[in-house]
């Protein structure tokens, strides 16, 4: 009888306690100065990332992620959860009827915008590093989606309502929510072509587009509809006590994400679809649009994911790139999105002004979505270059868009002179859980 005992690497309780303490402490401190940060050139993701760098193996050596196991698996799970909650919050932020009134606008921004951003990013990467075109295509697709986690710092809250008109805030919110899930099909195409497994194109169309993405949208809508209708009927029948929007949102988001992953569908796009239909079904007087709830949903996950990101940055690989590292960040931030959005103006039928498009074109941060797709790719192909270049762009985007978000929003407000409606007074609540459905 074989009595050999196999030991698997686990996170020691001391390391877990240290990480939990650091993450929670920073979340508490940022909560104390949240409104101040909204009116400054420093964003929460920037601070969290900086904290991760300081606590990591290259500075204070307080936390060593290498002891926890594979950073790819850790980041895959945490980024997926973070994106899901950000998408749920974004879906609740978009007004009812927005998509119906702006279907052509969002179709152009999401579909043509994604293709343009991916193409330009691919060319930039190839020109700088001379990598194989398929690998450049893969990395270009990974950094294409607008990150809803980072974007929320400029499109939500009282400061955003004062400085930016609704058409800009809602355009960025919906686009960032939609293209995060849609980017899955774009990323899978070069990945399948690199792997060269059987009938690549038919697999991509039938499995990736129709089942995983299309099925994810349909199942997300169905689950969100059923859950929301059941909630409304249960409350009307007196079967349940008052329920927090935060609790409902978390439960719905995690259920859709986990359920769709079990049937091999795109859980990310499904979460956004579920949140969007839930926002339509639940009444406005049920506080579904209270931004404190949305912000709490996002911040619970945003701070930890960027601390984790700061802990695992590949500094040595970046230094090995030399001047090309800086050139990549500058070229991607300047040319990946802004020229594409401005070029789409003739197709938008004056729905957005040139100033609107300039702001939307600049503020398309690369963040948690790119982290997720990068580590998702690493599960299939062991190309460290994918992580090195993707993490570099995310690092640069977090800093640059964090610094410029408030400045450019204020400049837009002063330049256009467009008066913004005064924020509506909100009822006072003792805590986030006092918001009920």
């Amino acid at each position: 009888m074989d009595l050999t005992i196999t030991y698997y690497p686990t996170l020691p309780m001391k390391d877990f306690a240290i990480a939990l303490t650091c993450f929670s402490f920073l979340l508490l401190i940022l909560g104390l100065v949240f409104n101040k940060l909204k009116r400054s050139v420093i964003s929460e993701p920037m601070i969290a990332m900086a904290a991760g760098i300081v606590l990591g193996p290259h500075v204070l050596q307080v936390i060593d992620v290498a002891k926890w196991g594979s950073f790819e698996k850790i980041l895959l799970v945490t980024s997926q959860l973070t994106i899901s909650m950000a998408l749920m919050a974004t879906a609740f932020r978009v007004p009812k009827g927005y998509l119906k009134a702006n279907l052509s606008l969002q179709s152009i921004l999401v579909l043509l915008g994604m293709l343009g951003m991916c193409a330009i990013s691919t060319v930039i990467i190839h020109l700088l590093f001379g990598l194989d075109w398929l690998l450049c295509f893969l990395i270009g697709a990974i950094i294409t989606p607008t990150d809803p986690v980072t974007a929320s710092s400029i499109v939500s809250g009282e400061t955003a309502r004062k400085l930016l008109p609704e058409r800009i805030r809602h355009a960025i919110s919906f686009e960032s929510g939609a293209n995060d899930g849609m980017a899955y099909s774009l990323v899978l195409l070069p990945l399948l072509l690199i792997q060269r497994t059987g009938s690549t194109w038919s697999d991509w169309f039938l499995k990736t587009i129709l089942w995983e993405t299309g099925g994810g949208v349909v199942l997300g809508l169905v689950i969100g509809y059923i859950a929301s209708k059941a909630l409304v009927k249960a409350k009307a029948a007196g079967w349940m006590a008052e329920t927090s929007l935060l609790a409902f949102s978390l439960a719905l988001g995690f259920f859709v994400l986990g359920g769709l992953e079990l049937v091999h569908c795109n859980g990310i796009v499904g979460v956004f679809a579920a949140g969007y239909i839930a926002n339509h079904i639940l009444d406005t007087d049920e506080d579904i649009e209270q931004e404190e709830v949305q912000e709490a949903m996002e911040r619970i996950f945003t701070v930890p994911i960027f601390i984790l990101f700061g802990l695992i940055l590949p500094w040595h690989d970046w230094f090995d790139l030399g001047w090309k590292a800086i050139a990549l960040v500058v070229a991607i931030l300047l040319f990946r999105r802004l020229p594409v959005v401005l070029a789409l103006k003739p197709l938008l039928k004056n729905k957005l002004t040139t100033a609107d498009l300039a702001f939307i074109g600049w503020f398309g941060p690369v963040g948690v979505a790119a982290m997720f797709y990068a580590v998702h790719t690493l599960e299939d192909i062991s190309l460290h270059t994918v992580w090195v270049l993707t993490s570099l762009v995310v690092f640069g985007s977090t800093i640059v868009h964090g610094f410029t978000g408030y400045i450019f929003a204020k400049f837009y407000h002063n330049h256009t002179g467009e008066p913004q409606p005064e924020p509506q007074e909100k009822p006072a609540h003792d805590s986030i859980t006092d918001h009920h459905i």
Side-chain angles (χ1 to χ4, degrees):
M1 180 182 296
D2 186 6
L3 298 178
T4 302
I5 300 176
T6 303
Y7 292 93
Y8 295 93
T10 58
L11 177 61
M13 281 306 299
K14 182 179 179 181
D15 291 342
F16 173 76
I18 292 173
L20 183 62
T21 301
C22 294
F23 288 17
S24 302
F25 178 75
L26 184 59
L27 195 57
L28 287 171
I29 295 300
L30 292 177
L32 297 176
V33 294
F34 179 71
N35 287 334
K36 186 70 175 177
L37 287 176
K38 284 284 189 178
R39 299 187 297 271
S40 74
V41 296
I42 302 175
S43 66
E44 279 191 336
M46 289 171 58
I47 297 175
M49 185 174 68
I53 295 171
V54 172
L55 294 171
H58 299 289
V59 185
L60 296 181
Q61 301 179 352
V62 175
I63 302 176
D64 186 4
V65 179
K67 296 180 180 179
W68 301 2
S70 169
F71 90 87
E72 293 94 343
K73 294 186 181 298
I74 296 171
L75 189 59
L76 181 67
V77 174
T78 53
S79 60
Q80 195 172 25
L81 294 177
T82 302
I83 295 171
S84 298
M85 289 305 99
L87 292 180
M88 185 64 69
T90 300
F92 287 154
R93 186 183 300 124
V94 177
K96 298 173 175 62
Y98 173 80
L99 180 58
K100 183 178 180 180
N102 297 274
L103 182 60
S104 62
L105 168 67
Q106 283 299 330
S107 298
I108 292 170
L109 284 179
V110 173
L111 299 178
L112 296 183
M114 284 179 61
L115 293 176
M117 288 188 286
C118 180
I120 291 177
S121 300
T122 299
V123 172
I124 289 173
I125 294 168
H126 181 75
L127 291 177
L128 279 174
F129 301 101
L131 300 173
D132 180 80
W133 276 108
L134 278 180
L135 181 56
C136 295
F137 181 14
L138 175 62
I139 301 173
I142 288 172
I143 62 176
T144 289
T146 304
D147 186 51
V149 179
T150 313
S152 68
S153 63
I154 197 60
V155 299
S156 64
E158 181 180 348
T159 302
R161 291 193 296 270
K162 287 182 177 179
L163 298 180
L164 297 173
E166 288 186 349
R167 63 179 181 273
I168 288 183
R169 291 185 282 115
H170 298 330
I172 294 176
S173 292
F174 189 91
E175 184 218 356
S176 67
N179 70 11
D180 262 30
M182 296 299 179
Y184 178 80
S185 299
L186 195 60
V187 171
L188 261 287
L189 178 57
L191 183 59
L192 291 173
L193 290 172
I194 290 173
Q195 293 175 313
R196 300 184 188 278
T197 54
S199 51
T200 300
W201 288 97
S202 61
D203 287 347
W204 178 67
F205 180 75
L206 295 176
K207 182 182 177 183
T208 304
I209 294 183
L210 292 185
W211 174 245
E212 294 182 343
T213 301
V217 172
V218 172
L219 290 176
L221 290 172
V222 171
I223 295 172
Y225 179 85
I226 293 174
S228 303
K229 283 290 187 180
L231 186 67
V232 171
K233 289 185 177 297
K235 184 181 177 183
W239 294 350
M240 57 179 289
E242 295 289 342
T243 301
S244 164
L245 168 61
L246 180 60
F248 172 76
S249 303
L250 289 171
L252 178 61
F254 288 153
F255 179 78
V256 172
L257 180 65
L260 265 59
E261 288 294 327
L262 289 176
V263 296
H264 304 290
C265 281
N266 186 341
I268 292 178
V269 73
V271 169
F272 184 68
Y276 189 75
I277 195 68
N279 186 29
H280 277 254
I281 293 174
L282 299 173
D283 295 334
T284 54
D285 61 358
E286 291 170 323
D287 287 343
I288 197 69
E289 294 176 353
Q290 290 291 345
E291 286 208 23
E292 305 97 294
V293 180
Q294 301 161 3
E295 290 168 356
M297 288 167 57
E298 293 169 324
R299 291 175 61 236
I300 289 171
F301 293 90
T302 300
V303 171
I305 188 68
F306 276 96
I307 293 178
L308 177 61
F309 181 63
L311 290 169
I312 59 177
L313 295 178
W315 293 101
H316 296 301
D317 295 307
W318 292 352
F319 289 137
D320 290 341
L321 296 177
W323 64 270
K324 292 182 179 180
I326 298 175
L328 175 66
V329 173
V330 173
I332 291 295
L333 295 186
L334 288 180
F335 302 116
R336 158 186 162 267
R337 179 177 171 89
L338 183 57
V340 173
V341 174
L342 290 176
L344 295 176
K345 188 177 189 300
L347 302 177
L348 299 179
K349 300 179 180 179
N350 298 320
K351 287 183 175 291
L352 296 170
T353 67
T354 302
D356 296 343
L357 291 173
F359 186 87
I360 294 172
W362 169 251
F363 200 77
V366 183
V368 181
M371 297 182 207
F372 169 73
Y373 285 121
V375 292
H376 178 78
T377 298
L378 293 178
E379 285 196 319
D380 296 311
I381 55 173
S382 299
L383 291 174
H384 188 58
T385 303
V386 173
W387 173 246
V388 173
L389 298 186
T390 300
S391 61
L392 178 60
V393 174
V394 173
F395 176 78
S397 176
T398 302
I399 294 175
V400 174
H401 286 117
F403 271 122
T404 60
Y406 176 74
I407 295 174
F408 283 17
K410 194 170 184 178
F411 177 80
Y412 171 91
H413 177 71
N414 294 336
H415 177 72
T416 60
E418 185 173 341
Q420 306 304 329
E422 290 295 323
Q424 296 180 352
E425 292 295 325
K426 297 177 182 178
H429 294 278
D430 292 332
S431 71
I432 196 66
T433 56
D434 288 339
H435 293 275
H436 300 297
I437 294 176

